[in-house]
Amino acid sequence: MGNSVLGMKLKELRKAHGYTQEDVAVVLDIGRKAYSHYETGRNSPSLEMLYKLAGLYSVPIEDLLHASLKLDENVYYDAPVPTQSSTDLTDFLEYFNTPAAIKKYQQFTFQEKELLYYYNKMSDCDKEDILEFIKMRANRKSKC
């Protein structure tokens, strides 16, 4: 399948859901121009991006890759209701993708960022409990 067929499908799905290119680019964590190249067929999305797009539009990835996808103009295609995990992921990305945070946390691993993100969402009392637990676990010999 040519990039132009996939691009037309992506554009059709985006418009059917009422999204702008900017909306989709934010979900994919790429620039609007990069996403625009997917729709024009100039570039092909990676497999990871295809999975994200399939999830965004609630269609099997196979439907994106086959030329047979046709949308019924009489059907309203609603975006899936965000799950708690997708909401957490969005909050997490917003937390670490500000210019100041990018510079401040650039040396952190993903796991370290995840720990810091959830730690900062806790109450002071819970933070103390977690710190005590981490200290205890750090001082024992690991079974892993």
Side-chain angles (χ1 to χ4, degrees):
M1 173 178 68
N3 290 349
S4 61
V5 174
L6 175 60
M8 287 186 298
K9 285 183 192 179
L10 292 175
K11 185 174 183 177
E12 185 178 5
L13 283 164
R14 178 179 58 78
K15 288 187 172 205
H17 283 80
Y19 297 145
T20 64
Q21 287 185 343
E22 182 68 30
D23 295 334
V24 177
V26 167
V27 170
L28 298 178
D29 197 27
I30 61 174
R32 188 211 53 81
K33 190 173 183 177
Y35 176 75
S36 171
H37 291 314
Y38 295 163
E39 287 190 4
T40 61
R42 184 172 179 187
N43 290 330
S44 295
S46 67
L47 186 58
E48 177 186 1
M49 292 298 166
L50 286 171
Y51 275 104
K52 287 181 179 181
L53 287 162
L56 175 65
Y57 297 126
S58 298
V59 297
I61 195 167
E62 296 82 12
D63 285 353
L64 290 177
L65 300 174
H66 292 103
S68 62
L69 178 65
K70 293 289 182 200
L71 294 177
D72 183 346
E73 293 180 7
N74 297 318
V75 175
Y76 177 71
Y77 297 93
D78 196 9
V81 176
T83 62
Q84 183 59 46
S85 61
S86 65
T87 302
D88 285 349
L89 177 60
T90 300
D91 292 346
F92 175 82
L93 292 172
E94 288 175 2
Y95 184 85
F96 284 105
N97 285 331
T98 63
I102 289 171
K103 185 175 180 180
K104 184 176 180 179
Y105 301 113
Q106 66 185 350
Q107 301 300 320
F108 283 44
T109 66
F110 179 80
Q111 191 174 41
E112 290 168 332
K113 290 178 182 177
E114 191 174 23
L115 284 167
L116 182 60
Y117 170 73
Y118 286 108
Y119 176 81
N120 284 329
K121 291 180 76 170
M122 296 176 151
S123 69
D124 288 341
C125 182
D126 287 341
K127 287 179 182 178
E128 289 177 25
D129 291 344
I130 292 298
L131 281 174
E132 289 302 315
F133 175 75
I134 290 172
K135 289 175 188 176
M136 178 186 70
R137 292 296 298 254
N139 291 323
R140 77 176 190 145
K141 293 187 180 179
S142 178
K143 295 178 184 179
C144 300

